[in-house]
């Protein structure tokens, strides 16, 4: 996890479903970096991508638990 990851998760939690471009538009980070971090967060089950909409992400229950302090990111294993 990087410090930016928590900011991305918070933004998804507050704003709802977002694309990397929308994250850039909200001044969180540039689109390319948002895309890279979202892929990593997805790998660990903290966000999911909608299959029918390319590049649209939402926070998962695990992501919400991480934000609330109920889940330690060090305990997460990659999923695929």
């Amino acid at each position: 996890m990087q410090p930016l990851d928590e900011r991305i998760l918070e933004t998804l939690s507050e704003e709802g479903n977002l694309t990397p471009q929308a994250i850039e538009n909200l001044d969180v980070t540039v689109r390319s970096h948002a895309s890279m971090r979202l892929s990593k967060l997805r790998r660990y089950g903290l966000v999911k991508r909608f299959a029918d909409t390319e590049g649209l992400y939402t926070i998962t229950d695990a992501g919400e638990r991480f934000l609330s302090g109920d889940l330690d990111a060090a305990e997460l294993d990659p999923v695929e």
Side-chain angles (χ1 to χ4, degrees), residues 45-46 59-72 76:
L46 298 173
I59 191 168
T60 63
D61 289 339
E64 293 287 1
R65 289 195 330 267
F66 169 78
L67 288 178
S68 69
D70 293 334
L71 178 66
D72 184 352
L76 295 173

Side-chain angles (χ1 to χ4, degrees), residues 1 9 37-49 57-66 71 73 76-80:
M1 293 286 290
L9 290 171
R37 296 314 307 160
L38 285 163
S39 292
K40 181 68 96 173
L41 292 169
R42 180 174 170 239
R43 185 169 180 224
Y44 285 88
L46 298 173
V47 301
K48 69 178 180 178
R49 186 174 62 197
Y57 290 84
T58 191
I59 191 168
T60 63
D61 289 339
E64 293 287 1
R65 289 195 330 267
F66 169 78
L71 178 66
L76 295 173
D77 293 321
V79 294
E80 291 283 337

Side-chain angles (χ1 to χ4, degrees), residues 6-17:
E6 188 168 345
R7 178 96 192 277
I8 290 171
L9 290 171
E10 288 170 348
T11 303
L12 284 167
S13 181
E14 293 167 5
E15 300 290 333
N17 308 331

